[in-house]
Amino acid sequence: MDMINHEQRVDIDVHDMRLLEAIQDGLPLVPRPYAELAQQLGMGEREVTARLSLLQMKGVIKRFGVVVRHHELGYRANAMVVWDIPDQQVETIGALFGAFPFVTLCYRRPRRLPVWPYNLFTMIHGRDRDEVLLRVRELVAACGLDGVTYDVLFSRRRFKQRGAHYGIGARDGDPRSQRFGIS
Amino acid sequence: MSNVMPLLSEIDRRLLDEYQRDFPLSERPFADIATELGVDEAKVLERFGYLKRLGALSRVGAVLRPNRVGASTLAALAVPAERLEEVAALVNAFPEVNHNYEREHAYNLWFVVTASDQDGVQRVLRRIAAATGLEPLDLPMLEDYFIDLGFSLRWI
């Protein structure tokens, strides 16, 4: 019950889960944040930092540190830019895209023909729409993608935004979901 | 929600820009940062608190790799313009839904569905189809190419 087994999964135990839950809104801003978490979770301070270190090594935590808010820092425009990249090239192009500093997500997803021909998804932030479009042209030029079909889906209204609920926190009959910050 | 960039000091900018990854796992991480920046621990804590209240800082914490924990998918609906608000509210009512955005496309409503496993995700998609009368596109992540090194404020 402690292990989550699935093809892409790695072993995370309930203590890791509780730790991830405890830091979902960030470290407490106190001189010894890990000691405070440790007390809250009934672990040792060293155990908390060791688990966080291990979760990073295992790749469960992709990045541990400051998470900024783009919008508040002046990046008012964002678009999901979707690309129809030939299957044999998608790996290479995906890796190239993922390295540009203004690309903040880069995923391969399935096409759903005939309604949805795109297989590579990027998120691009800019101060305004023009800057986002400039970045898109930069990607096309830098990666030699002339002739590739893409579409730019600017975001308009935000109806909901919060950390993900995975509903894996249920324990002792507690149906409460756990939230994680995935960006 | 205004641009807070002009309100940031040099220390604020460095805190936001230089500690996005490999945050110290030491007993007193804020003291370590303070030493690096040539200020004291109390100042670092005070500035992080300020940045959080300002909205520039979301959190000092973990960004998780998608699909290592639980299951999720990106879903989209092509909603007739006159039904958009009604359908957005129907979709929002599902606790498994987060990041629900209107985007400029025939598929104009985009949201993420998360659950403990793949069956759970599929169940939610079926319930959304039933509730809205619209068939969602189901676009699960197959590969993640994004090496998250943080969002460099330097390239601005």
Side-chain angles (χ1 to χ4, degrees):
Chain A
M1 125 147 208
D2 282 3
M3 303 294 188
I4 296 173
N5 291 313
H6 216 274
E7 56 271 4
Q8 259 200 338
R9 306 301 151 78
V10 290
D11 49 328
I12 310 173
D13 66 21
V14 287
H15 304 292
D16 291 329
M17 299 295 305
R18 290 177 59 221
L19 176 55
L20 291 173
E21 182 189 22
I23 62 166
Q24 69 193 0
D25 293 323
L27 293 180
L29 297 176
V30 297
R32 291 182 64 178
Y34 305 114
E36 181 161 316
L37 287 168
Q39 193 174 21
Q40 197 181 316
L41 295 166
M43 296 178 190
E45 183 179 12
R46 286 280 174 80
E47 185 182 349
V48 167
T49 52
R51 283 181 182 275
L52 287 172
S53 174
L54 209 57
L55 286 167
Q56 289 179 74
M57 279 177 0
K58 288 176 177 172
V60 174
I61 294 177
K62 203 172 190 179
R63 172 164 82 75
F64 186 65
V66 166
V67 180
V68 301
R69 286 220 171 93
H70 303 107
H71 190 88
E72 281 72 3
L73 289 168
Y75 292 81
R76 321 312 290 276
N78 88 80
M80 187 173 74
V81 185
V82 293
W83 311 76
D84 177 11
I85 305 286
D87 288 338
Q88 63 275 16
Q89 275 177 270
V90 69
E91 191 100 4
T92 312
I93 301 296
L96 282 175
F97 280 0
F100 281 82
F102 50 82
V103 172
T104 54
L105 286 178
C106 185
Y107 296 149
R108 186 162 69 86
R109 300 182 186 276
R111 296 186 183 83
R112 300 297 188 198
L113 299 171
V115 295
W116 188 259
Y118 305 108
N119 61 340
L120 192 60
F121 290 59
T122 50
M123 196 65 75
I124 297 182
H125 289 264
R127 275 163 295 195
D128 52 35
R129 295 169 71 102
D130 285 347
E131 188 177 271
V132 171
L133 294 171
L134 188 73
R135 299 301 179 197
V136 174
R137 286 196 294 276
E138 213 174 307
L139 285 180
V140 170
C143 302
L145 297 178
D146 294 310
V148 159
T149 307
Y150 64 88
D151 210 339
V152 181
L153 284 71
F154 278 104
S155 71
R156 211 174 265 169
R157 270 178 293 177
R158 180 169 71 186
F159 291 115
K160 196 179 200 179
Q161 185 194 27
R162 59 158 169 73
H165 280 261
Y166 284 104
I168 41 185
R171 54 181 187 273
D172 303 322
D174 177 4
R176 193 165 49 109
S177 296
Q178 294 186 347
R179 293 193 300 126
F180 293 98
I182 291 193
S183 68
Chain B
M1 292 288 265
S2 59
N3 181 4
V4 301
M5 213 57 166
L7 304 176
L8 306 183
S9 69
E10 176 61 21
I11 290 290
D12 295 338
R13 285 164 196 253
R14 291 190 65 185
L15 288 175
L16 289 176
D17 200 43
E18 296 176 21
Y19 297 95
Q20 294 192 19
R21 57 194 175 112
D22 301 325
F23 197 82
L25 288 171
S26 55
E27 274 184 19
R28 302 183 71 160
F30 300 106
D32 293 348
I33 291 171
T35 304
E36 287 175 9
L37 296 182
V39 295
D40 62 30
E41 184 186 35
K43 176 81 172 173
V44 169
L45 286 165
E46 185 255 308
R47 295 323 285 176
F48 271 130
Y50 168 77
L51 291 169
K52 190 144 189 186
R53 286 193 302 280
L54 206 57
L57 171 70
S58 169
R59 64 185 184 279
V60 177
V63 175
L64 302 190
R65 195 172 296 279
N67 285 0
R68 290 292 173 97
V69 178
S72 64
T73 195
L74 177 67
L77 291 173
V79 186
E82 68 278 7
R83 288 193 60 199
L84 189 58
E85 289 190 13
E86 169 225 340
V87 171
L90 285 172
V91 169
N92 273 0
F94 288 84
E96 297 89 350
V97 166
N98 57 72
H99 290 95
N100 187 12
Y101 278 86
E102 177 187 3
R103 294 193 177 277
E104 297 174 5
H105 193 271
Y107 280 98
N108 52 355
L109 194 66
W110 291 79
F111 49 93
V112 174
V113 173
T114 58
S116 57
D117 57 31
Q118 202 33 248
D119 289 348
V121 170
Q122 293 306 316
R123 260 197 308 279
V124 172
L125 289 180
R126 283 196 300 275
R127 286 168 56 206
I128 287 173
T132 63
L134 300 165
E135 197 51 48
L137 273 185
D138 174 15
L139 301 167
M141 188 198 76
L142 300 177
E143 198 78 51
D144 179 5
Y145 301 113
F146 179 52
I147 307 152
D148 191 347
L149 301 179
F151 188 74
S152 174
L153 303 172
R154 290 271 165 82
W155 61 270
I156 294 170

